[in-house]
Amino acid sequence: MTGTERSPAAEVVEYTDPLCPWAWGSEPVFRLLRAALADRVRWRRVFCILFDHDDDPPPDPAAETAWYARYVEDITAHTRSPRAVRLDRVAASSWPASLVAKAAERQGTDVAERVLRRLRETVFVLGDPADTPASALAAARGVPGLDPVRLAADAASPAVLEQVRADRAEARRPVADVLAAQSGSPHAGTAKETADGHRYALPTLLVRVPGAHRAVPGWRTYEEYAAAVDALCPGSLSRPEPLAPHEALARHRTLTDPEARLLTRGPWPPAGALRVDTGNGPLWLDPEEATVHPASPLRPPGAP
């Protein structure tokens, strides 16, 4: 492949959940990998439903929340990604956030990326997971280019529900490669046992071309993902030069310190960036994003 030529038969499948802490910690590398692919290979997200409707409610919600907060803290010690100072609760369900994230894809790549990012930030910055339809829609308010009326209608539609149901089912048909014990990472990515089989550990990337695939499960380096892509789609990767800090922040709207180190070059933070402190380092907001982001102190009280 040369230039921006796209292989119609090749794809990278990202098995994820908007509320997954390891997926949140993989955002820096995934942002770089998507930029390196530059649409030369299709990137498709599958929402796996980490927190399902039929999960048993915890007998002691406060104890469950305390345990899960420690679990997230352990993960962010590896990933260096932000975690909320205080977690309000363990998410009751991944369905609302997954439906909203899937619905946002109908409004284009940029909108979908920013909506999914906001949904992740409800847990890992605000500590208030988007686990109801209302809170998932509220998380997306103010995203540039978003039609909120259409988003609400699409998220409640039978078509989007069927898409997410299909995602959930696909995630529970993992390739054989990930069933065996994995190694080489604090989150090795061995498929998780379920009541009726297995599902992918989150996140997992599956690089597919006709007749072949490479699975890269768990929390991995850019080089490991790039090697899998290059093995099946040679010539599709072109690692971009780091952006100036203000350009990266304007493009992505929010950046963590791990993302700033990986994606930018130059003095950090850029002028005008708003710092939001968390329990594990800051989240940086673009000046425009700071006027609408739910974590921003500049957002007017009670703003829709």
Short mmCIF file of all heavy atoms in Angstrom, two decimals, residues 84-145:
data_model
loop_
_atom_site.label_atom_id
_atom_site.label_comp_id
_atom_site.label_asym_id
_atom_site.label_seq_id
_atom_site.Cartn_x
_atom_site.Cartn_y
_atom_site.Cartn_z
N ALA A 84 -9.94 8.47 39.06
CA ALA A 84 -10.72 9.42 39.83
C ALA A 84 -10.23 9.49 41.28
O ALA A 84 -9.81 8.48 41.86
CB ALA A 84 -12.19 9.04 39.80
N VAL A 85 -10.27 10.66 41.84
CA VAL A 85 -9.92 10.82 43.25
C VAL A 85 -10.84 9.96 44.11
O VAL A 85 -10.41 9.30 45.06
CB VAL A 85 -10.01 12.30 43.66
CG1 VAL A 85 -9.82 12.46 45.16
CG2 VAL A 85 -8.97 13.13 42.90
N ARG A 86 -12.11 9.95 43.73
CA ARG A 86 -13.09 9.14 44.46
C ARG A 86 -14.03 8.49 43.47
O ARG A 86 -14.61 9.17 42.62
CB ARG A 86 -13.89 9.99 45.44
CG ARG A 86 -14.97 9.21 46.21
CD ARG A 86 -15.80 10.10 47.11
NE ARG A 86 -16.85 9.33 47.77
CZ ARG A 86 -18.03 9.03 47.21
NH1 ARG A 86 -18.31 9.46 45.98
NH2 ARG A 86 -18.93 8.33 47.88
N LEU A 87 -14.18 7.19 43.56
CA LEU A 87 -15.12 6.46 42.70
C LEU A 87 -16.46 6.37 43.41
O LEU A 87 -16.54 5.87 44.54
CB LEU A 87 -14.58 5.06 42.40
CG LEU A 87 -15.44 4.18 41.48
CD1 LEU A 87 -15.52 4.79 40.08
CD2 LEU A 87 -14.88 2.76 41.42
N ASP A 88 -17.50 6.87 42.76
CA ASP A 88 -18.81 6.89 43.38
C ASP A 88 -19.39 5.50 43.54
O ASP A 88 -20.04 5.20 44.55
CB ASP A 88 -19.76 7.76 42.54
CG ASP A 88 -21.14 7.86 43.14
OD1 ASP A 88 -21.28 8.51 44.19
OD2 ASP A 88 -22.09 7.26 42.58
N ARG A 89 -19.16 4.63 42.54
CA ARG A 89 -19.76 3.29 42.56
C ARG A 89 -19.13 2.47 41.44
O ARG A 89 -18.52 3.03 40.52
CB ARG A 89 -21.27 3.35 42.36
CG ARG A 89 -21.66 3.89 40.98
CD ARG A 89 -23.13 4.22 40.85
NE ARG A 89 -23.43 4.74 39.52
CZ ARG A 89 -23.15 5.98 39.13
NH1 ARG A 89 -22.58 6.84 39.97
NH2 ARG A 89 -23.45 6.38 37.90
N VAL A 90 -19.31 1.17 41.51
CA VAL A 90 -19.00 0.31 40.38
C VAL A 90 -20.14 0.44 39.37
O VAL A 90 -21.31 0.49 39.75
CB VAL A 90 -18.84 -1.15 40.83
CG1 VAL A 90 -18.54 -2.05 39.64
CG2 VAL A 90 -17.75 -1.28 41.88
N ALA A 91 -19.80 0.52 38.11
CA ALA A 91 -20.83 0.69 37.08
C ALA A 91 -21.86 -0.43 37.14
O ALA A 91 -21.50 -1.60 37.26
CB ALA A 91 -20.19 0.73 35.69
N ALA A 92 -23.12 -0.04 37.06
CA ALA A 92 -24.20 -1.03 37.08
C ALA A 92 -24.32 -1.77 35.75
O ALA A 92 -24.75 -2.92 35.71
CB ALA A 92 -25.52 -0.35 37.42
N SER A 93 -23.95 -1.10 34.65
CA SER A 93 -24.12 -1.70 33.33
C SER A 93 -23.25 -0.96 32.32
O SER A 93 -23.09 0.26 32.38
CB SER A 93 -25.59 -1.61 32.90
OG SER A 93 -25.75 -2.03 31.56
N SER A 94 -22.71 -1.73 31.37
CA SER A 94 -21.99 -1.14 30.22
C SER A 94 -22.92 -0.83 29.05
O SER A 94 -22.48 -0.20 28.08
CB SER A 94 -20.90 -2.09 29.74
OG SER A 94 -19.86 -2.23 30.66
N TRP A 95 -24.16 -1.30 29.12
CA TRP A 95 -25.05 -1.13 27.97
C TRP A 95 -25.31 0.33 27.60
O TRP A 95 -25.20 0.70 26.42
CB TRP A 95 -26.36 -1.87 28.21
CG TRP A 95 -26.26 -3.34 27.99
CD1 TRP A 95 -26.01 -4.30 28.93
CD2 TRP A 95 -26.35 -4.04 26.73
NE1 TRP A 95 -25.95 -5.55 28.35
CE2 TRP A 95 -26.16 -5.42 27.00
CE3 TRP A 95 -26.59 -3.63 25.43
CZ2 TRP A 95 -26.21 -6.39 26.00
CZ3 TRP A 95 -26.63 -4.60 24.43
CH2 TRP A 95 -26.44 -5.95 24.72
N PRO A 96 -25.66 1.22 28.53
CA PRO A 96 -25.94 2.61 28.12
C PRO A 96 -24.76 3.28 27.42
O PRO A 96 -24.93 3.91 26.36
CB PRO A 96 -26.29 3.30 29.43
CG PRO A 96 -26.84 2.20 30.29
CD PRO A 96 -25.99 1.02 29.96
N ALA A 97 -23.55 3.15 28.00
CA ALA A 97 -22.38 3.78 27.38
C ALA A 97 -22.06 3.16 26.03
O ALA A 97 -21.68 3.85 25.08
CB ALA A 97 -21.18 3.69 28.31
N SER A 98 -22.22 1.84 25.92
CA SER A 98 -21.92 1.17 24.66
C SER A 98 -22.92 1.56 23.58
O SER A 98 -22.55 1.75 22.42
CB SER A 98 -21.93 -0.35 24.87
OG SER A 98 -20.92 -0.72 25.78
N LEU A 99 -24.18 1.70 23.94
CA LEU A 99 -25.20 2.13 22.96
C LEU A 99 -24.92 3.55 22.48
O LEU A 99 -25.04 3.85 21.29
CB LEU A 99 -26.59 2.02 23.58
CG LEU A 99 -27.11 0.60 23.81
CD1 LEU A 99 -28.31 0.61 24.74
CD2 LEU A 99 -27.47 -0.07 22.48
N VAL A 100 -24.56 4.44 23.40
CA VAL A 100 -24.25 5.82 23.00
C VAL A 100 -22.99 5.87 22.15
O VAL A 100 -22.93 6.58 21.14
CB VAL A 100 -24.14 6.71 24.26
CG1 VAL A 100 -23.52 8.07 23.91
CG2 VAL A 100 -25.52 6.93 24.88
N ALA A 101 -21.97 5.10 22.53
CA ALA A 101 -20.74 5.08 21.73
C ALA A 101 -21.00 4.53 20.34
O ALA A 101 -20.47 5.06 19.34
CB ALA A 101 -19.67 4.25 22.44
N LYS A 102 -21.80 3.49 20.24
CA LYS A 102 -22.11 2.92 18.93
C LYS A 102 -22.96 3.88 18.11
O LYS A 102 -22.74 4.06 16.90
CB LYS A 102 -22.85 1.59 19.11
CG LYS A 102 -23.14 0.83 17.81
CD LYS A 102 -21.86 0.38 17.11
CE LYS A 102 -21.19 -0.76 17.82
NZ LYS A 102 -20.01 -1.27 17.06
N ALA A 103 -23.92 4.54 18.75
CA ALA A 103 -24.74 5.53 18.04
C ALA A 103 -23.90 6.68 17.53
O ALA A 103 -24.15 7.22 16.44
CB ALA A 103 -25.85 6.03 18.97
N ALA A 104 -22.89 7.10 18.28
CA ALA A 104 -22.05 8.22 17.86
C ALA A 104 -21.28 7.91 16.59
O ALA A 104 -20.93 8.83 15.83
CB ALA A 104 -21.08 8.59 18.99
N GLU A 105 -21.02 6.63 16.33
CA GLU A 105 -20.30 6.27 15.11
C GLU A 105 -21.07 6.68 13.86
O GLU A 105 -20.47 6.87 12.79
CB GLU A 105 -20.03 4.77 15.10
CG GLU A 105 -19.04 4.34 16.18
CD GLU A 105 -18.79 2.84 16.20
OE1 GLU A 105 -19.46 2.11 15.42
OE2 GLU A 105 -17.94 2.39 16.99
N ARG A 106 -22.38 6.85 13.96
CA ARG A 106 -23.18 7.26 12.82
C ARG A 106 -22.99 8.73 12.48
O ARG A 106 -23.50 9.20 11.45
CB ARG A 106 -24.67 6.97 13.11
CG ARG A 106 -24.92 5.48 13.34
CD ARG A 106 -26.37 5.15 13.55
NE ARG A 106 -26.56 3.69 13.54
CZ ARG A 106 -27.64 3.08 13.10
NH1 ARG A 106 -28.67 3.78 12.66
NH2 ARG A 106 -27.72 1.76 13.12
N GLN A 107 -22.27 9.46 13.32
CA GLN A 107 -22.02 10.88 13.07
C GLN A 107 -20.57 11.15 12.69
O GLN A 107 -20.12 12.30 12.71
CB GLN A 107 -22.44 11.70 14.29
CG GLN A 107 -23.92 11.58 14.60
CD GLN A 107 -24.40 12.59 15.61
OE1 GLN A 107 -24.00 13.76 15.60
NE2 GLN A 107 -25.30 12.16 16.49
N GLY A 108 -19.85 10.11 12.33
CA GLY A 108 -18.49 10.29 11.83
C GLY A 108 -17.43 9.95 12.85
O GLY A 108 -17.68 9.88 14.06
N THR A 109 -16.22 9.75 12.34
CA THR A 109 -15.12 9.28 13.17
C THR A 109 -14.76 10.25 14.28
O THR A 109 -14.56 9.85 15.44
CB THR A 109 -13.88 9.00 12.29
OG1 THR A 109 -14.20 8.00 11.33
CG2 THR A 109 -12.72 8.53 13.14
N ASP A 110 -14.66 11.54 13.96
CA ASP A 110 -14.24 12.51 14.98
C ASP A 110 -15.24 12.57 16.13
O ASP A 110 -14.86 12.58 17.30
CB ASP A 110 -14.07 13.90 14.36
CG ASP A 110 -12.83 14.00 13.48
OD1 ASP A 110 -11.97 13.11 13.55
OD2 ASP A 110 -12.74 14.98 12.71
N VAL A 111 -16.52 12.62 15.80
CA VAL A 111 -17.54 12.65 16.84
C VAL A 111 -17.49 11.37 17.66
O VAL A 111 -17.54 11.40 18.90
CB VAL A 111 -18.94 12.86 16.22
CG1 VAL A 111 -20.04 12.57 17.25
CG2 VAL A 111 -19.08 14.28 15.71
N ALA A 112 -17.37 10.23 17.00
CA ALA A 112 -17.34 8.95 17.72
C ALA A 112 -16.15 8.88 18.67
O ALA A 112 -16.28 8.41 19.81
CB ALA A 112 -17.28 7.81 16.72
N GLU A 113 -14.98 9.33 18.22
CA GLU A 113 -13.80 9.30 19.08
C GLU A 113 -14.01 10.16 20.31
O GLU A 113 -13.67 9.76 21.44
CB GLU A 113 -12.58 9.81 18.31
CG GLU A 113 -12.13 8.93 17.16
CD GLU A 113 -11.57 7.60 17.62
OE1 GLU A 113 -11.02 7.53 18.74
OE2 GLU A 113 -11.71 6.61 16.89
N ARG A 114 -14.57 11.35 20.13
CA ARG A 114 -14.71 12.27 21.25
C ARG A 114 -15.80 11.84 22.21
O ARG A 114 -15.68 12.02 23.43
CB ARG A 114 -14.94 13.68 20.72
CG ARG A 114 -13.68 14.25 20.08
CD ARG A 114 -13.90 15.49 19.26
NE ARG A 114 -12.62 15.99 18.74
CZ ARG A 114 -12.51 16.92 17.81
NH1 ARG A 114 -13.60 17.45 17.27
NH2 ARG A 114 -11.32 17.32 17.41
N VAL A 115 -16.87 11.24 21.69
CA VAL A 115 -17.91 10.74 22.58
C VAL A 115 -17.39 9.57 23.41
O VAL A 115 -17.59 9.51 24.63
CB VAL A 115 -19.17 10.34 21.77
CG1 VAL A 115 -20.14 9.54 22.64
CG2 VAL A 115 -19.86 11.58 21.22
N LEU A 116 -16.70 8.63 22.79
CA LEU A 116 -16.16 7.50 23.54
C LEU A 116 -15.18 7.99 24.60
O LEU A 116 -15.17 7.49 25.73
CB LEU A 116 -15.48 6.52 22.59
CG LEU A 116 -14.81 5.31 23.24
CD1 LEU A 116 -15.80 4.50 24.08
CD2 LEU A 116 -14.16 4.41 22.18
N ARG A 117 -14.37 8.96 24.25
CA ARG A 117 -13.42 9.50 25.22
C ARG A 117 -14.15 10.10 26.42
O ARG A 117 -13.78 9.85 27.58
CB ARG A 117 -12.56 10.56 24.54
CG ARG A 117 -11.56 11.24 25.46
CD ARG A 117 -10.49 10.30 25.95
NE ARG A 117 -9.45 11.04 26.65
CZ ARG A 117 -8.16 10.76 26.58
NH1 ARG A 117 -7.74 9.74 25.87
NH2 ARG A 117 -7.28 11.48 27.25
N ARG A 118 -15.21 10.86 26.17
CA ARG A 118 -15.98 11.43 27.28
C ARG A 118 -16.57 10.33 28.17
O ARG A 118 -16.60 10.44 29.39
CB ARG A 118 -17.10 12.31 26.74
CG ARG A 118 -16.66 13.63 26.14
CD ARG A 118 -16.50 14.70 27.23
NE ARG A 118 -16.47 16.01 26.60
CZ ARG A 118 -17.53 16.75 26.36
NH1 ARG A 118 -18.74 16.31 26.69
NH2 ARG A 118 -17.42 17.94 25.79
N LEU A 119 -17.06 9.26 27.54
CA LEU A 119 -17.64 8.16 28.31
C LEU A 119 -16.58 7.52 29.21
O LEU A 119 -16.84 7.19 30.37
CB LEU A 119 -18.25 7.13 27.37
CG LEU A 119 -19.50 7.59 26.62
CD1 LEU A 119 -19.80 6.65 25.46
CD2 LEU A 119 -20.71 7.68 27.56
N ARG A 120 -15.39 7.33 28.70
CA ARG A 120 -14.31 6.79 29.52
C ARG A 120 -14.00 7.75 30.68
O ARG A 120 -13.75 7.31 31.82
CB ARG A 120 -13.05 6.58 28.68
CG ARG A 120 -13.18 5.55 27.55
CD ARG A 120 -11.82 5.13 27.06
NE ARG A 120 -11.83 4.43 25.78
CZ ARG A 120 -12.15 3.15 25.61
NH1 ARG A 120 -12.52 2.43 26.65
NH2 ARG A 120 -12.10 2.59 24.40
N GLU A 121 -14.00 9.02 30.41
CA GLU A 121 -13.63 10.00 31.44
C GLU A 121 -14.66 10.08 32.56
O GLU A 121 -14.32 10.52 33.67
CB GLU A 121 -13.40 11.36 30.78
CG GLU A 121 -12.13 11.40 29.95
CD GLU A 121 -12.04 12.60 29.01
OE1 GLU A 121 -13.05 13.32 28.84
OE2 GLU A 121 -10.95 12.80 28.43
N THR A 122 -15.91 9.66 32.31
CA THR A 122 -16.87 9.68 33.41
C THR A 122 -16.40 8.81 34.56
O THR A 122 -16.61 9.14 35.73
CB THR A 122 -18.28 9.21 32.95
OG1 THR A 122 -18.25 7.83 32.57
CG2 THR A 122 -18.82 10.06 31.84
N VAL A 123 -15.77 7.69 34.25
CA VAL A 123 -15.28 6.79 35.30
C VAL A 123 -13.94 7.26 35.84
O VAL A 123 -13.76 7.42 37.05
CB VAL A 123 -15.10 5.35 34.77
CG1 VAL A 123 -14.78 4.39 35.91
CG2 VAL A 123 -16.30 4.89 34.01
N PHE A 124 -12.98 7.48 34.94
CA PHE A 124 -11.59 7.57 35.35
C PHE A 124 -11.13 9.00 35.65
O PHE A 124 -10.03 9.19 36.14
CB PHE A 124 -10.71 6.91 34.29
CG PHE A 124 -11.13 5.49 34.04
CD1 PHE A 124 -11.74 5.12 32.85
CD2 PHE A 124 -11.01 4.53 35.04
CE1 PHE A 124 -12.17 3.82 32.64
CE2 PHE A 124 -11.44 3.23 34.84
CZ PHE A 124 -12.02 2.87 33.64
N VAL A 125 -11.98 9.98 35.40
CA VAL A 125 -11.70 11.36 35.80
C VAL A 125 -12.74 11.83 36.81
O VAL A 125 -12.40 12.32 37.89
CB VAL A 125 -11.67 12.30 34.58
CG1 VAL A 125 -11.45 13.75 35.03
CG2 VAL A 125 -10.56 11.88 33.62
N LEU A 126 -14.02 11.63 36.47
CA LEU A 126 -15.09 12.12 37.34
C LEU A 126 -15.45 11.14 38.46
O LEU A 126 -16.03 11.55 39.47
CB LEU A 126 -16.33 12.40 36.50
CG LEU A 126 -16.19 13.51 35.45
CD1 LEU A 126 -17.37 13.50 34.51
CD2 LEU A 126 -16.04 14.86 36.11
N GLY A 127 -15.20 9.84 38.26
CA GLY A 127 -15.58 8.85 39.25
C GLY A 127 -17.07 8.56 39.30
O GLY A 127 -17.56 7.98 40.26
N ASP A 128 -17.77 8.93 38.24
CA ASP A 128 -19.23 8.78 38.17
C ASP A 128 -19.58 8.09 36.86
O ASP A 128 -19.91 8.74 35.87
CB ASP A 128 -19.90 10.16 38.26
CG ASP A 128 -21.41 10.09 38.36
OD1 ASP A 128 -21.95 8.99 38.59
OD2 ASP A 128 -22.05 11.15 38.22
N PRO A 129 -19.49 6.76 36.81
CA PRO A 129 -19.60 6.06 35.53
C PRO A 129 -20.93 6.30 34.82
O PRO A 129 -21.99 6.36 35.45
CB PRO A 129 -19.45 4.58 35.91
CG PRO A 129 -19.72 4.52 37.37
CD PRO A 129 -19.29 5.83 37.93
N ALA A 130 -20.85 6.44 33.51
CA ALA A 130 -22.03 6.66 32.67
C ALA A 130 -22.74 5.32 32.48
O ALA A 130 -22.59 4.67 31.45
CB ALA A 130 -21.63 7.26 31.33
N ASP A 131 -23.53 4.94 33.46
CA ASP A 131 -24.16 3.62 33.43
C ASP A 131 -25.68 3.67 33.34
O ASP A 131 -26.35 2.67 33.58
CB ASP A 131 -23.73 2.78 34.64
CG ASP A 131 -24.05 3.44 35.98
OD1 ASP A 131 -24.60 4.56 35.99
OD2 ASP A 131 -23.75 2.82 37.03
N THR A 132 -26.22 4.84 32.98
CA THR A 132 -27.64 4.97 32.67
C THR A 132 -27.76 5.69 31.33
O THR A 132 -26.83 6.41 30.92
CB THR A 132 -28.38 5.79 33.73
OG1 THR A 132 -27.93 7.16 33.69
CG2 THR A 132 -28.16 5.22 35.13
N PRO A 133 -28.88 5.54 30.63
CA PRO A 133 -29.04 6.27 29.36
C PRO A 133 -28.87 7.78 29.53
O PRO A 133 -28.21 8.43 28.70
CB PRO A 133 -30.45 5.89 28.93
CG PRO A 133 -30.69 4.54 29.52
CD PRO A 133 -30.00 4.58 30.86
N ALA A 134 -29.43 8.33 30.59
CA ALA A 134 -29.34 9.78 30.78
C ALA A 134 -27.90 10.23 31.02
O ALA A 134 -27.45 11.23 30.44
CB ALA A 134 -30.22 10.21 31.95
N SER A 135 -27.17 9.50 31.87
CA SER A 135 -25.79 9.93 32.15
C SER A 135 -24.87 9.70 30.96
O SER A 135 -23.93 10.47 30.74
CB SER A 135 -25.26 9.21 33.39
OG SER A 135 -25.21 7.81 33.20
N ALA A 136 -25.12 8.68 30.17
CA ALA A 136 -24.30 8.44 28.98
C ALA A 136 -24.52 9.55 27.95
O ALA A 136 -23.56 10.03 27.33
CB ALA A 136 -24.61 7.08 28.38
N LEU A 137 -25.75 9.95 27.76
CA LEU A 137 -26.02 11.05 26.83
C LEU A 137 -25.47 12.37 27.37
O LEU A 137 -24.92 13.18 26.61
CB LEU A 137 -27.52 11.17 26.58
CG LEU A 137 -28.15 10.04 25.76
CD1 LEU A 137 -29.67 10.13 25.79
CD2 LEU A 137 -27.65 10.07 24.31
N ALA A 138 -25.59 12.58 28.67
CA ALA A 138 -25.08 13.82 29.27
C ALA A 138 -23.57 13.93 29.10
O ALA A 138 -23.04 15.04 28.93
CB ALA A 138 -25.45 13.88 30.74
N ALA A 139 -22.86 12.81 29.15
CA ALA A 139 -21.40 12.84 29.01
C ALA A 139 -20.97 13.41 27.67
O ALA A 139 -19.88 13.98 27.55
CB ALA A 139 -20.84 11.44 29.18
N ALA A 140 -21.81 13.28 26.65
CA ALA A 140 -21.45 13.71 25.30
C ALA A 140 -21.79 15.17 25.01
O ALA A 140 -21.43 15.68 23.95
CB ALA A 140 -22.16 12.82 24.28
N ARG A 141 -22.45 15.84 25.92
CA ARG A 141 -22.88 17.21 25.65
C ARG A 141 -21.70 18.12 25.36
O ARG A 141 -20.69 18.10 26.04
CB ARG A 141 -23.66 17.77 26.85
CG ARG A 141 -25.03 17.14 27.03
CD ARG A 141 -25.67 17.61 28.31
NE ARG A 141 -26.94 16.92 28.56
CZ ARG A 141 -27.52 16.84 29.74
NH1 ARG A 141 -26.95 17.40 30.80
NH2 ARG A 141 -28.66 16.19 29.88
N GLY A 142 -21.85 18.92 24.32
CA GLY A 142 -20.81 19.87 23.96
C GLY A 142 -19.73 19.32 23.06
O GLY A 142 -18.82 20.06 22.68
N VAL A 143 -19.79 18.05 22.70
CA VAL A 143 -18.81 17.50 21.76
C VAL A 143 -18.96 18.21 20.42
O VAL A 143 -20.06 18.30 19.88
CB VAL A 143 -19.00 15.97 21.60
CG1 VAL A 143 -18.27 15.46 20.37
CG2 VAL A 143 -18.51 15.24 22.84
N PRO A 144 -17.89 18.75 19.85
CA PRO A 144 -17.98 19.48 18.60
C PRO A 144 -18.56 18.62 17.47
O PRO A 144 -18.16 17.47 17.29
CB PRO A 144 -16.54 19.88 18.30
CG PRO A 144 -15.83 19.82 19.60
CD PRO A 144 -16.51 18.74 20.39
N GLY A 145 -19.50 19.20 16.74
CA GLY A 145 -20.08 18.51 15.60
C GLY A 145 -21.16 17.52 15.94
O GLY A 145 -21.77 16.93 15.04
#
